[in-house]
């Protein structure tokens, strides 16, 4: 579990007592809890499958065990020590599993009922979790000081589930009674018996070498194949304690697998080959296998680490094995081969193969395995292959998709996605072979999307409505530009291409599989900011090289993308850009698949990384900012409205300037700058002195920052709002921009068809002659120059203004335009509310601590009461660089409650945190995993599922279970409200 889970078990009411807020006790709203982990487990190290319950388990190097079934069926256990899990074995059908750690300890886990607990004022019973119930450490052998002799190399769970067979590095074989891990009489004497049975020319002293593989006979219980590293294989009978047969292999052994009938078994070896051995009675020593093959020889090959043999009704078995590649040519490839008769494919992965298994028939009465799917756990992803469809295609997974297929660079969450947009996005994972358990969670009340931007220029859409984070849609932005990996524009006959011919004749027959690709073709493609209007299907994607794309969801088409270049520095003298070049757009129409397609490409100059974007689809406007300024663009008319560099203006005082020309206002700003330099180097900014002198006891003093910071021009946030800026009687469109130096710039916008008497129909004849105008308004300069993190305009009721189209389409309450508005500005050091239009300070809260506390993330969240259905309120949520969460009411900024959330050392986790509008959040706990948490006592997204178990359950008043002839059903999890 993450730090969030370990640090937040304190009682909800304890937080309320510390906060001193009595209203919360009457209508409980706040409650912080880690709910589920999304994504692919970081650094996986072990894999197991329960064919009876259809559950899969993955162990990690950090000591975590994650169990998955059908979408929505999952839970996690964590070993006490942070030690790698090297092996996992299910007790089929029992809801129990065994884990072997790298510290040589064996642990028994099972689904167990937890104690009832109170969640948000409601008592929940029967919470089922994965708990460790026992552990065992193999004692050292008498007379041998080295512990390596008893180091466990392999485990075998016998079909009866009553014995665990343990193979060790010293060649010993031990047994534990299950389910309580009780030591059974050691069968160490078999070493002497085996050694005495060996021919003289095959003996190698008294040592048999490490045990590499243990496999129980598929038809005869109690008969075990014991494979030693030197190549020796022993068929051992547990009942008679006698070796039935010896197989004298000559190559170093890697793995063993039985054929279903038990008449044959297959051994894989270090030289890249495998052998088939016949099991016959009356032959005590077998010197020669039936056949031996080095599939990728004759040149030296790498070891075949694991091999599976699966029988089919067609007569030809399916052979599956990992490794075996020619050392000189493909020694660095991560491969798994599938062979059946003449069909042969070598799956080529981008990360190391950890383990794999097949989903096949396990009923004893059936003659064949008939595998339906192959599941491969790789170091960076999980791949599933359909073995029943010709060509063996890959199957999409409903969860465990690698979030980090390319490194995540940004993310955003969209709640209450309209069905029209949802239907346009493609769902995945309908043929998932792992389907154990039943998801009991009711359908989500609203559809939610999590959007992640990536280093390779892609945007991934994920269904975040429930427990399973399901891939929905992948958008690539690279096809608008020319990159180094572009194919030749000249058409060429594939039959004349020597490279194509070589690929067709290539041996081994490689096939690229999986989607993990950590290498970006061009780092300039990286996505930095995303903004989506769910009502108009407009999407803004901004990147590392100053590219801003406005996109619309549409049918497939071939078209040329309009390009507009916006010079944020205009004709600034003496500036030389020393960074990367801008991406070159394609000059010819390009094909675009169905989904989001680019309408306009806005290229900022200089091509610095985009640091902020804002979209107002109702006004057809976008705003974007970099470290060199910010701009406003009208994508309906394809023209730039204005640009401004933050250092080109000082704080303006007095009423709103009615200057129509931006260039004129900039000239005036430059004159003021020159005058200030002549009159003196120091210039005092008119701000209330009480902000520094009067510090409340519960608040902390702000420390001033240097005005000469090289990053002072970075635009941190942008905001559109329909509010009062000119005077208190006329409201209209405005643009707000906050910078790294604590400046907030305001613009009054004149948008054709919106307010100011300029009403005309969209697309009308009069509108073509009109254009959007931006009038430079006031500037707010925060005294201590702390970076501005967020800007939000509040209506007359103190509520945030609705999103575009929400009010006009009756999807949200119309904002109060009769009373005075205010603006909430959050900097890294304080929260402050200003009245509009005078921009005078109303209230503030200083959050800065001498130990270095800084605000990192801010969101306005709607919290609903668990006691009153119709009661909810907006709350300001702040995440600091110390990892704690502060909640304030608005507009009064009265502290409500504080939670410890993320470890302060987890810089990437804090930087990646994103909040939802209903009180949940996500942050990265590893490059490939999001931790989902809830701040709301009412909104929880947790596993709620049932599993049918074969083992009897002990009577318990807190168990949720129903007895049946088939077994017992365990339900676990909490309601998804």
């Amino acid at each position: 579990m993450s730090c969030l889970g370990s640090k937040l078990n304190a009682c909800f009411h304890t937080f309320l007592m510390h906060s001193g807020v009595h209203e919360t006790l009457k209508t409980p709203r706040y409650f912080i809890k880690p709910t589920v982990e999304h994504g692919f487990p970081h650094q996986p190290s072990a894999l197991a499958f329960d064919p009876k319950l259809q559950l899969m388990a993955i162990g990690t190097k950090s000591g975590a065990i994650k169990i998955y079934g059908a979408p929505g069926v999952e839970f996690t256990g964590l070993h006490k020590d942070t030690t790698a899990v090297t092996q996992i074995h299910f007790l089929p059908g029992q809801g129990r599993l065994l884990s072997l750690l790298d510290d040589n300890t064996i642990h028994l886990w099972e689904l167990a009922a937890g104690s009832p607990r109170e969640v948000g004022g409601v008592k929940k019973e029967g919470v089922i979790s994965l708990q460790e119930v026992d552990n065992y450490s193999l004692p050292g052998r008498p007379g041998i000081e080295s512990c390596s002799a008893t180091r466990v190399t392999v485990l075998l769970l016998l079909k009866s589930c009553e014995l665990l067979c343990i193979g060790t590095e010293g060649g010993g074989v031990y047994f534990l009674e299950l389910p309580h891990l009780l030591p059974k009489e050691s069968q160490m004497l078999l070493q002497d018996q085996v050694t005495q049975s060996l021919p003289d020319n095959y003996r190698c002293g008294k040592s048999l070498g490490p045990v590499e593989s243990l496999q129980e006979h598929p038809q005869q219980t109690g008969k075990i194949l014991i494979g030693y590293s030197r190549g020796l294989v022993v068929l051992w009978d547990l009942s008679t304690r006698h070796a039935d047969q010896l197989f004298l292999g000559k190559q170093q052994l890697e793995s063993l697998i039985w054929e279903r009938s038990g008449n044959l078994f297959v051994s894989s070896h270090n030289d890249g080959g495998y052998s088939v051995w016949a099991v016959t009675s009356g032959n005590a020593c077998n010197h020669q296998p039936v056949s031996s093959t080095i599939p990728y020889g004759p040149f030296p090959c790498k070891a075949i680490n694991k091999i599976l043999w699966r029988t089919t009704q067609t007569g030809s078995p399916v052979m599956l094995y990992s490794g075996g590649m020619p050392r000189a040519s493909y020694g660095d490839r991560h491969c798994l081969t599938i062979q059946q008769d003449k069909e042969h494919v070598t799956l080529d992965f981008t990360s190391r193969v950890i383990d794999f298994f097949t989903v096949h028939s396990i009923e004893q009465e059936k003659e064949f395995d008939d595998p339906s799917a192959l599941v491969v756990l790789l170091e960076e992803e999980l791949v599933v292959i359909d073995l029943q469809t010709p060509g063996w295609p890959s199957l999409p997974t409903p969860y465990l998709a690698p979030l980090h297929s390319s490194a995540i660079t940004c993310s955003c969450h969209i709640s209450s996605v309209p069905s029209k947009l949802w239907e346009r996005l493609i769902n995945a994972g309908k043929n998932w072979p792992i389907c154990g358990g039943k998801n009991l969670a009711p359908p989500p009340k609203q559809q939610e999307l999590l959007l992640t931007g990536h280093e390779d220029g892609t945007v991934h859409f994920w269904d975040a409505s429930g427990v399973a984070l399901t891939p929905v849609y992948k958008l690539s932005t690279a096809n608008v530009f020319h990159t180094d990996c572009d194919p030749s524009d000249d058409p060429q006959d594939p039959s004349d291409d020597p490279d194509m011919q070589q690929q067709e004749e290539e041996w081994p027959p490689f096939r690229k599989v999986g989607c993990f690709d950590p290498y970006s073709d061009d780092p300039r493609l990286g996505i930095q900011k995303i903004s989506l209007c769910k009502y108009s299907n407009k999407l803004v994607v901004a990147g590392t090289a100053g590219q801003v794309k406005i996109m619309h969801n549409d049918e497939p088409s071939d078209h040329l993308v309009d390009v507009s270049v916006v010079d944020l520095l205009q004709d600034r003298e003496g500036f030389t850009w020393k960074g990367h070049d801008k991406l070159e757009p394609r000059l010819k129409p390009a094909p675009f698949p169905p989904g989001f397609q680019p309408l306009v490409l806005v290229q900022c100059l200089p091509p610095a990384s985009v640091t902020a974007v804002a979209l107002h689809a109702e006004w057809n406007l976008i705003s974007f900012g970099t470290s060199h300024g910010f701009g406003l663009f009208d994508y309906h008319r394809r023209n730039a409205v204005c640009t401004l560099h933050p250092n080109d203006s000082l704080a303006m005082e007095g009423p709103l300037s009615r200057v129509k020309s931006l260039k004129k206002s900039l000239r005036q700003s430059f004159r003021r700058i020159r005058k200030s330099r002549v009159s003196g180097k120091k210039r005092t900014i008119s701000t209330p002195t009480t902000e520094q002198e009067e510090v409340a006891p519960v608040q902390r003093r702000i420390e001033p920052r240097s005005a000469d910071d090289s990053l002072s021009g970075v635009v941190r946030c942008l905001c559109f709002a329909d509010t009062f800026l000119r005077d208190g009687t006329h409201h209209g469109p405005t643009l707000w921009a906050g910078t790294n130096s604590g400046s907030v710039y305001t613009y009054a916008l004149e948008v054709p068809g919106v307010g100011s008497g300029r009403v005309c129909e969209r697309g009308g004849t009069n509108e073509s002659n009109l254009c959007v105008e931006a009038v430079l308004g006031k500037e707010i300069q925060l005294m201590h120059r702390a970076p501005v993190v967020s800007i939000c305009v509040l209506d007359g009721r103190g509520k945030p203004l609705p999103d575009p189209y929400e009010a006009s389409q009756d999807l949200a309450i119309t904002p109060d335009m009769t009373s005075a508005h205010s603006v909430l500005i959050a900097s890294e050091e304080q929260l402050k509310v200003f009245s509009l239009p005078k921009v005078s300070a109303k209230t503030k809260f200083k959050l800065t601590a001498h130990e270095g506390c800084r605000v990192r993330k801010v969101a306005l969240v709607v919290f609903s009461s668990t006691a009153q259905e119709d009661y909810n309120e907006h709350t300001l949520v702040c995440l600091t660089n110390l990892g704690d969460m502060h909640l304030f009411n608005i507009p009064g900024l009265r502290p409500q409650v504080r939670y410890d959330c993320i470890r302060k050392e987890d810089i990437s986790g804090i930087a990646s945190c994103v909040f939802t509008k209903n009180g949940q959040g996500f942050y990265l706990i590893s490059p490939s995993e999001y931790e989902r948490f809830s701040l709301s006592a009412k909104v929880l997204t947790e596993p709620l599922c049932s599993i049918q178990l074969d083992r009897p359950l002990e009577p318990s008043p807190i168990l949720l279970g129903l007895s049946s002839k088939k077994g017992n059903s365990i339900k676990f999890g909490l309601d998804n409200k």
Side-chain angles (χ1 to χ4, degrees):
M1 296 293 288
S2 69
C3 176
L4 183 61
S6 62
K7 296 173 71 174
L8 298 179
N9 293 325
C11 177
F12 165 65
H13 295 289
T14 303
F15 290 114
L16 301 178
M17 292 172 62
H18 285 293
S19 67
V21 180
H22 301 287
E23 297 88 339
T24 310
L25 291 174
K26 299 177 182 178
T27 56
R29 303 178 296 279
Y30 312 131
F31 175 83
I32 190 162
K33 174 182 174 57
T35 53
V36 68
E37 294 176 0
H38 296 302
F40 182 77
H42 184 52
Q43 294 183 324
S45 54
L47 176 69
F49 179 60
D50 185 340
K52 289 188 177 180
L53 297 182
Q54 295 282 286
L55 296 176
M56 177 179 65
I58 295 177
T60 71
K61 290 183 179 179
S62 62
I65 292 181
K66 297 172 179 286
I67 297 182
Y68 305 92
V73 179
E74 59 182 77
F75 42 92
T76 301
L78 189 65
H79 291 89
K80 294 179 182 178
D81 297 326
T82 307
T83 308
V85 180
T86 57
Q87 294 183 42
I88 307 176
H89 299 269
F90 273 103
L91 278 68
Q94 296 189 19
R96 294 190 177 108
L97 59 85
L98 293 158
S99 62
L100 172 64
L101 301 188
D102 195 40
D103 63 3
N104 212 40
T105 58
I106 300 170
H107 301 256
L108 176 64
W109 297 77
E110 69 177 22
L111 293 178
S115 302
R117 68 171 182 255
E118 189 173 302
V119 178
V122 180
K123 192 172 184 180
K124 298 288 184 179
E125 292 190 349
V127 181
I128 307 300
S129 60
L130 182 65
Q131 296 183 3
E132 181 181 346
V133 295
D134 204 353
N135 60 77
Y136 181 80
S137 181
L138 203 64
R141 290 172 56 183
I144 299 180
E145 296 180 0
S146 174
C147 63
S148 63
T150 55
R151 181 169 181 81
V152 179
T153 55
V154 62
L155 299 179
L156 170 65
L157 179 68
L158 300 188
K159 292 184 177 65
S160 62
C161 292
E162 296 176 353
L163 276 182
L164 175 66
C165 187
I166 305 171
T168 66
E169 193 170 302
V173 179
Y174 299 81
F175 293 87
L176 293 180
E177 290 185 352
L178 296 175
H180 300 295
L181 296 182
L182 297 177
K184 191 176 176 62
E185 181 184 354
S186 172
Q187 299 208 6
M188 290 295 299
L189 291 178
L190 69 86
Q191 290 193 57
D192 296 331
Q193 297 180 28
V194 172
T195 304
Q196 293 172 6
S197 303
L198 294 176
D200 294 337
N201 60 351
Y202 194 80
R203 293 182 183 180
C204 184
K206 294 183 178 180
S207 175
L208 295 175
V211 178
E212 288 292 337
S213 183
L214 296 170
Q215 296 289 329
E216 186 178 14
H217 196 288
Q219 305 297 333
Q220 301 178 34
T221 303
K223 289 195 174 185
I224 304 173
L225 276 181
I226 305 174
Y228 296 91
S229 176
R230 59 179 296 190
L232 171 66
V233 180
V234 178
L235 179 58
W236 185 260
D237 191 333
L238 284 178
S239 59
T240 63
R241 296 195 177 190
H242 181 265
D244 285 357
Q245 196 170 354
L246 301 178
F247 304 88
L248 308 179
K250 298 178 181 179
Q251 290 293 337
Q252 182 176 325
L253 183 71
E254 294 289 329
S255 72
L256 297 172
I257 188 68
W258 281 102
E259 186 263 344
R260 187 181 181 94
S261 66
N263 296 324
L264 301 171
F265 72 87
V266 183
S267 61
S268 69
H269 300 276
N270 188 57
D271 64 347
Y274 63 86
S275 300
V276 180
W277 302 80
V279 179
T280 57
S281 58
N283 187 5
C285 289
N286 193 337
H287 294 265
Q288 294 295 330
V290 175
S291 64
S292 291
T293 306
I294 300 180
Y296 298 114
F299 299 106
C301 295
K302 300 195 74 174
I304 293 181
N305 309 108
K306 180 177 178 177
I307 190 166
L308 296 179
W309 173 301
R310 300 295 183 230
T311 58
T312 64
Q313 295 187 33
T314 59
S316 299
V318 178
M319 300 287 294
L320 309 101
Y321 51 89
S322 60
M325 290 293 103
R327 285 184 177 273
S329 304
Y330 306 109
D332 59 342
R333 297 284 186 100
H334 309 291
C335 297
L336 190 149
T337 299
I338 309 175
Q339 284 182 264
Q340 185 181 26
D341 200 13
K342 295 182 180 180
E343 296 293 323
H344 186 156
V345 64
T346 305
L347 305 178
D348 190 7
F349 306 108
T350 56
S351 59
R352 184 170 58 92
V353 177
I354 303 295
D355 202 353
F356 58 95
F357 64 83
T358 59
V359 181
H360 59 275
S361 172
I362 60 170
E363 290 81 2
Q364 288 291 331
E365 61 273 11
K366 291 192 176 181
E367 185 179 354
F368 302 100
D369 295 312
D370 288 327
S372 59
L374 166 67
V375 180
V376 186
L377 175 65
L378 304 166
E379 201 167 34
E380 302 292 352
E381 63 183 318
L382 187 83
V383 172
V384 182
I385 304 296
D386 184 356
L387 296 179
Q388 292 184 326
T389 303
W392 300 319
S394 300
L395 288 175
T397 57
Y399 51 80
L400 284 175
L403 298 173
H404 64 318
S405 55
S406 175
I408 297 175
T409 50
C410 65
S411 60
C412 71
H413 181 271
I414 308 296
S415 59
S416 303
V417 179
S419 57
K420 182 179 179 181
L421 173 59
W422 192 267
E423 290 171 1
R424 289 177 178 266
L425 303 174
I426 302 173
N427 213 335
K430 297 180 180 179
N431 299 315
W432 181 234
I434 311 301
C435 54
K438 183 179 181 182
N439 185 6
L440 301 180
K445 294 182 179 180
Q446 61 181 25
Q447 294 162 322
E448 301 179 5
L449 283 175
L450 180 67
L451 276 61
T452 55
H454 297 263
E455 192 179 40
D456 64 352
T458 58
V459 178
H460 292 245
F461 291 64
W462 308 90
D463 180 1
S465 310
V467 171
L469 192 67
T470 306
V472 174
Y473 168 64
K474 177 182 176 181
L475 168 67
S476 176
T477 63
N479 52 355
V480 179
F481 306 102
H482 285 291
T483 59
D484 296 336
C485 60
D486 285 344
S488 175
D489 294 333
D490 300 329
Q492 186 177 13
D493 187 355
S495 61
D496 298 334
D497 187 355
D499 292 336
M500 291 295 293
Q501 294 178 1
Q502 181 180 359
Q503 185 175 356
E504 291 176 359
E505 300 171 359
E506 187 178 26
W507 183 260
F510 289 118
R511 188 174 88 198
K512 287 287 185 183
V513 180
C515 59
F516 176 73
D517 184 9
Y519 305 106
S520 175
D521 296 318
D522 194 328
R524 297 175 296 174
L525 292 169
I527 307 299
Q528 297 299 322
K529 296 295 175 181
I530 303 171
S531 181
L532 172 66
C533 177
K534 58 189 177 184
Y535 303 112
S536 63
N537 290 345
K538 291 292 190 301
L539 174 69
V540 175
V541 178
T544 303
Q547 70 273 27
V548 182
K549 290 205 294 185
I550 300 97
M551 314 185 81
H552 182 71
N553 203 309
D554 210 340
E555 299 298 324
S557 67
D558 290 24
H559 64 267
L560 184 65
V561 179
D562 293 337
V563 180
S564 294
V565 178
V566 177
D567 188 354
L568 295 178
L569 296 182
Q570 298 178 343
D571 299 326
R572 191 183 181 106
E573 297 179 359
F575 175 82
T576 303
W577 171 249
K578 298 180 180 179
H580 47 63
D581 296 332
K582 65 182 180 70
L583 287 162
E584 292 298 328
R586 295 182 185 274
L587 302 178
K588 296 180 180 179
F592 296 99
F596 283 99
Q597 302 173 3
L599 297 175
V600 188
L601 168 63
V602 179
Q603 178 62 58
C604 300
L605 292 181
S609 179
V610 178
T611 56
V613 294
L615 165 67
H616 201 296
E618 204 165 359
W619 301 340
N620 294 318
L621 294 177
I622 63 165
S623 183
F624 43 86
T626 72
S627 57
H628 297 277
F630 57 94
L632 179 65
F633 188 83
D634 180 354
Y635 61 83
H636 179 64
R637 297 167 186 81
R638 307 292 200 267
N639 73 291
V641 178
C642 68
T643 61
L644 179 68
H645 187 272
N647 292 338
D648 289 341
S649 174
L650 293 178
M652 292 180 295
E653 302 168 9
L656 176 72
S657 172
R658 296 296 298 172
V659 181
K660 296 295 183 181
S661 170
L662 176 66
K663 291 184 178 180
K664 184 177 180 181
S665 66
L666 289 178
R667 285 197 296 270
Q668 293 174 348
S669 299
F670 281 122
R671 291 193 188 103
R672 283 195 295 270
I673 293 173
R674 284 194 291 270
K675 287 180 181 179
S676 65
R677 288 174 179 171
V678 172
S679 60
K681 293 184 179 180
K682 293 184 179 180
R683 185 178 197 273
T684 58
I685 299 175
S686 176
T687 51
T689 57
T690 55
E691 184 174 329
Q692 180 176 356
E693 295 173 356
E694 298 177 5
V695 180
V698 296
Q699 302 178 18
R700 299 170 177 130
R701 188 175 301 279
I702 295 175
E703 298 181 10
R705 302 191 181 197
S706 171
D708 298 328
D709 189 352
S710 61
L711 299 177
S712 61
V714 175
V715 178
R716 292 286 293 269
C717 56
L718 294 161
C719 170
F720 286 107
D722 184 358
T723 188
F724 301 90
L725 191 60
R726 293 185 176 90
D727 53 54
T729 57
H730 300 88
H731 64 86
T734 62
L735 171 64
W736 301 70
T739 73
N740 225 42
S741 60
S743 299
V744 177
Y745 299 87
T746 62
Y747 280 85
L749 308 179
E750 295 189 6
V751 182
V754 180
S756 304
R758 300 166 63 93
V759 179
C760 61
E761 294 295 329
R762 287 287 182 195
T765 56
N766 295 331
E767 190 186 359
S768 60
N769 298 324
L770 301 175
C771 62
V772 176
E773 294 185 14
V775 182
L776 187 61
K778 302 178 180 179
E779 176 189 337
I780 305 171
Q781 178 61 61
L782 302 181
M783 186 178 63
H784 295 279
R785 299 185 176 273
V788 179
V789 178
S790 173
I791 302 172
C792 179
V793 176
L794 309 176
D795 69 1
R797 293 186 294 263
K799 307 294 184 184
L801 298 180
D803 292 335
Y805 288 111
E806 280 191 333
S808 61
Q809 298 185 12
D810 296 328
L811 300 171
I813 299 176
T814 303
D816 182 3
M817 310 299 286
T818 60
S819 303
H821 285 195
S822 56
V823 59
L824 169 61
I825 299 176
S827 74
E828 285 191 356
E829 296 181 343
Q830 68 175 342
L831 312 172
K832 201 167 186 179
V833 176
F834 296 87
S835 63
L836 294 176
K838 293 184 177 180
V839 194
S840 57
K842 291 176 62 178
T843 184
K844 62 188 174 185
F845 186 90
K846 301 180 182 68
L847 203 64
T848 300
H850 289 294
E851 59 267 23
C853 178
R854 296 285 185 267
V855 176
R856 286 290 179 257
K857 299 283 182 175
V858 172
L860 287 170
V861 175
V862 178
F863 286 94
S864 301
S865 170
T866 57
Q868 302 178 24
E869 276 298 322
D870 56 345
Y871 182 81
N872 57 71
E873 65 179 37
H874 286 84
T875 301
L876 180 69
V877 179
C878 292
L879 174 66
T880 73
N881 63 328
L882 301 181
D884 51 2
M885 206 87 67
H886 298 258
L887 277 66
F888 302 87
N889 75 337
I890 57 170
L893 298 183
R894 188 170 66 250
Q896 300 293 294
V897 65
R898 185 193 72 83
Y899 301 115
D900 293 326
C901 182
I902 308 173
R903 291 182 303 109
K904 64 181 180 180
E905 298 83 7
D906 188 1
I907 299 174
S908 63
I910 295 173
S912 64
C913 185
V914 58
F915 297 102
T916 73
K917 289 188 174 182
N918 60 8
Q920 297 187 85
F922 304 80
Y923 71 93
L924 288 172
I925 55 175
S926 76
S928 60
E929 294 172 287
Y930 274 107
E931 174 83 82
R932 186 174 189 148
F933 62 91
S934 179
L935 292 167
S936 172
K938 191 172 184 179
V939 181
L940 292 173
T941 303
E942 287 188 302
L944 178 63
C945 49
S946 66
I947 294 179
Q948 196 78 16
L949 302 180
D950 289 345
R951 67 179 168 93
L953 295 176
E954 296 179 0
S956 173
I958 59 174
L959 266 180
L960 283 174
L962 297 175
S963 298
S964 66
K965 293 182 180 179
K966 294 182 179 179
N968 294 281
S969 175
I970 276 191
K971 300 179 181 179
F972 60 94
L974 297 178
D975 292 332
N976 291 33
K977 288 196 172 184

